[in-house]
Amino acid sequence: MGRTKGLFEHIDWVLVGLYFLLVLLGWMSIYANTYQPDNSNIFDMTQEHGKQLLWIGSSVVLILFILMMTGKMFSTYSLLIYGGAMLSLVLVLIIGKQVGGARSWFGLGSFSIQPSEFAKFATLLALGSFLSVPQLDLKKIKNQLVVGIIIGIPAFLILLQPDAGSAIVYCSLIFALHREGLPSSYLVIGFSSIVLFLLALLFPFTIVASVIVGVCVLGFLLSNKRKRKKVWYYYPLTAVVSMAYSISVDFIYSNILKTHQRNRIDIILGKIEDIKDIGWNLYQSKIAIGSGGFSGKGYLEGTQTKLNYVPEQSTDFIFCTVGEEWGFLGSLVVIGLFLALIMRLIFIAERQRSIFSRVYGYGVAGIIFIHFFINIGMAIGIVPVIGIPLPFFSYGGSSLWGFTVLLFIFIQLDSYRKDIL
Amino acid sequence: MSKFHLKDRQFVTYIIFILGAAVLLGKLMALQLFSGDYEYLAERNAMKKEMVYPVRGSIFDRNGELLVANQRSFDLMVTPREVKGLDTAKFCQLVDISKERFVKTMKRAQRYSRRLPSILIKDLKKAQGISLMEQMHQYPGFYLQERTAREYPIPAGANVFGYISQIPRFLMEKDPYYLPNDNIGRTGVEKSYEEVLRGTRGKKYILRDVHNRTKGSFQAGAMDVPAIPGEDLTITIDMKLQAYAEKLMINKIGSVVAIDPSTGEILSMVTSPGFDPNMLVGRDRSKNYNLLNEDPAKPLFDRALQGQYPPGSTFKLINALIGLQEGVISTNTSFKCNNGWYFSPKLKVGCHAHQSPLDLRNAIAQSCNAYFCYEYRRILEKSNDIELDYQTWYDHVRSFGLGNYLNNDLYVGKRGLVPSIKYNDARMPFRWRAPTLISLAIGQDALLATPIQMANMCAAIANRGYYYTPHILKSTSGSFEADSTFSERKYTSIDKKHFGPIIDGMQMVVENKKGTAKNARIKGIEVCGKTGTAENPHGKDHSIFIAFAPKDNPKIAIAVYVENAGWGSSYGSPIASLMIEQYLNDTISRPQLEARMINANLLEDGTD
Ligand SMILES: [Zn+2]
């Protein structure tokens, strides 16, 4: 309980170091995008790189503020914070600023703030709070339902904006839930449905069906005899459901999706090469990254990004700058840093004594993972173009603040791990 | 499941994270390490290859006078997609274009491309372009593109320089060098020396952003290829003489060609009527071109090079030389003239009244037709083998550069005509003999020569037996050198010794009191000349005069044709004489004669 400790005592400096490294690389990328040889003042507040410096500075203030909080502050007020965040998500639908067809922003003069960035940690706090009830069994439908509601409310509200990208992020909480005892079948079904979805679109039904049958037969043969006798019907059932699923995917794709939606999927699947309308952004993004080659064109030497061929180059497509100017080596470093960050998060989450902190840690890792995977995946064309930022990298105050708060609450929780009995 | 098992689930998370990163890295490897296309695509995106147009060479006259220069002019360009909020009426007024034409050209530009610029108005004059340039930023989508156009400080010599135009498709298909907006020399020196004048285009790589705005040069210009400017030409023309000849030929149809016999350099080459070369530059080019093209006096037709006329009596000089060379006459040989040469009631050649008989020199001086008819018969009846004798005559004539192309550096030319045996056989089904062809004795019949061929023939006489190919290029500012054959003597088949008496006769034409062109006499200059009259079945005869001066070490040989002007002495000899005086003395001692020539108007109906 409430013993006083130094501000930086027990802080995980590895996480802090990774955080600042990523923020620095992000800022350098933004600077590269706005850089003009004749006008390169790094403090130019009319430029994105200047403003980002401001966001970084204010993030440091936020960090200090978070670290000053007392030990149990976040778990105590988790529901209040969650409630407030949900309220802001409702409010933004009513009084939000319409930007690009979506109501995602509160406009305060020239300054805008995106509540969905803050709903993420609020939801994690609420989830942690609920799951920290001792001996809570996530195999029970009732508990699963509560979890579904906690996650579903923000996801649903964000979908209403509409901002599908930010809503999808909530899928990443499956890692935390799985760790806390949600049956593995959720994870398996989740991943199988993604794989089957792709198979159904890429290959004719006969091939998909053979694969399904093959996998089910293999699973049946490999399972142990005792179990096989008891639940033998699982296997044909799975096969039938899978086939029905892939038929319906195919049906929805061919008959229900509109042409432009179908095109979007086809571009990702590489079925059509489109460089004009929908595919333009992706095409230019791939050119930027691909032209970087092994070691890149050199810092500030990118042509694709500097000459504005890449759209949204400081936000959604920030990774193009990394790929173009720093090449494969730079991409490897950035991906390595992200991987190190999220693995460190899991590692630290596992050393927590409180379920609350662990759930929160898993949540942070999951959210960062899905952002990083979707954002980079989108820039290189393996994920549909979904506009979500690259954590710590992308330009924007809400995004940087959101991720900073998300991460540092965990660092704060971790620094108090020894206080929890 | 126990909590112990749940703790193991962290590894599932680790594996998924690692797999996710591996998938990204795999795809990145494919993009960045195993696909070469993207570098090229990025370069193609960002680099705009821009042509660097070389400056076309200027043209100077033999004295260093600038004749053809470049002036700045502007094309008003439009990129349809970028045009926004245009006040059409105001804009049309600003750029001085009718609204209908504006709408029409805009539509054409849009059809061509919405993203790429097209020309809205071609060739705005420098002053208009510069004043517009300051205002163009108010009109997004429009800009002025500078280009060079020709400018002619002295409004003469249009036929010599020729003109340039945007390359037409049929020429572009012939030469892969050219691009659609290139200029190309169409006539004159601009055409003959196109490749020397035009220079070589360069390339410049420019970075451009997604909006096609330029963002500086690529790799600091390391890949750029500079344009090689065209070479300046110095041509053989004496512009003062050329302009003077054009002035003398005002309101007359015809041609004046002057050659320096000692080099073959063309000093002036006039076709009349001519036109101000500045007419074929700028916005009014096509309007003016149509005007010139439809003019019945055909100012675009270069009579100096393409006009084919009978040489008339000037040709007696050639026959006299052939007679001496073949030994059928001597300088003392005389023939009687009874108002002409008589063969039969149907076949006779008249002559004017003069003292008779005349020897060779006097026959030339007084241009006796009978003398040369008798002499010509002797040439063709020398061996009693008409074909042999005719061929001998034919070969002699051709050695003066007649009846064939000069193979020089002028863009156009005509062979003229010296009837060959084959030609005669074809037009005369019966057995032809000397009397049948008697008109050839006095330069009529089917004989045809262009004024430049006549001037060259005169130069060959002036040189006593050889000529240099008449040519227009003197030197260039660069490495290009004129055809070396131009500095080789082309010998005629007549021995040098025979020219003396003929030239004496030519001097008598001008200086003897009975000479046919006494009005060509210039105090202090020994002028040698010969009058001629070309029979014109369509109207009044053409006045012809050829001359050279001075008699020894001739500096100028000249041929003058004035259509429908009558005798050679009426206009031909005075004009030739004034030209010679202008060229050799740089001053005119006979202002009245000059004024009479300049003021004579042979275009008005009913003056004869
Ligand atoms: Zn006579």
Side-chain angles (χ1 to χ4, degrees), chain A residues 129-260:
Chain A
S129 188
F130 173 70
L131 294 178
S132 59
V133 174
Q135 304 302 314
L136 185 101
D137 190 354
L138 267 180
K139 278 187 274 191
K140 285 187 177 155
I141 299 290
K142 190 195 90 187
N143 293 331
Q144 291 174 6
L145 215 63
V146 175
V147 165
I149 288 166
I150 293 172
I151 300 170
I153 291 172
F156 177 72
L157 288 172
I158 290 168
L159 264 179
L160 284 182
Q161 292 179 353
D163 180 0
S166 299
I168 282 173
V169 168
Y170 289 89
C171 296
S172 66
L173 299 185
I174 188 111
F175 295 113
L177 298 172
H178 181 248
R179 171 64 182 84
E180 298 309 319
L182 190 73
S184 292
S185 51
Y186 280 88
L187 204 61
V188 172
I189 289 168
F191 276 93
S192 328
S193 51
I194 294 171
V195 171
L196 268 180
F197 179 83
L198 293 174
L199 285 179
L201 292 178
L202 280 172
F203 300 103
F205 178 70
T206 44
I207 293 177
V208 178
S210 337
V211 170
I212 292 168
V213 171
V215 169
C216 289
V217 169
L218 208 67
F220 180 73
L221 294 177
L222 290 177
S223 59
N224 62 54
K225 276 183 189 161
R226 205 156 35 86
K227 212 172 178 183
R228 200 191 296 169
K229 227 174 227 168
K230 228 161 94 189
V231 293
W232 60 271
Y233 55 90
Y234 270 20
Y235 296 95
L237 192 68
T238 310
V240 169
V241 170
S242 302
M243 283 186 217
Y245 171 74
S246 43
I247 289 171
S248 60
V249 164
D250 206 38
F251 177 81
I252 289 167
Y253 169 77
S254 314
N255 301 308
I256 294 178
L257 286 189
K258 297 192 181 85
T259 315
H260 73 270

Side-chain angles (χ1 to χ4, degrees), chain B residues 8 91 185 198 226 236 273 293 310 319 348 373 416 450 523 529 570 574 601:
Chain B
D8 282 348
F91 185 78
R198 78 177 179 207
T236 60
N293 201 29
N319 278 337
K348 55 185 177 182
C373 291
T450 59
K523 219 174 172 182
S570 57
N601 185 346

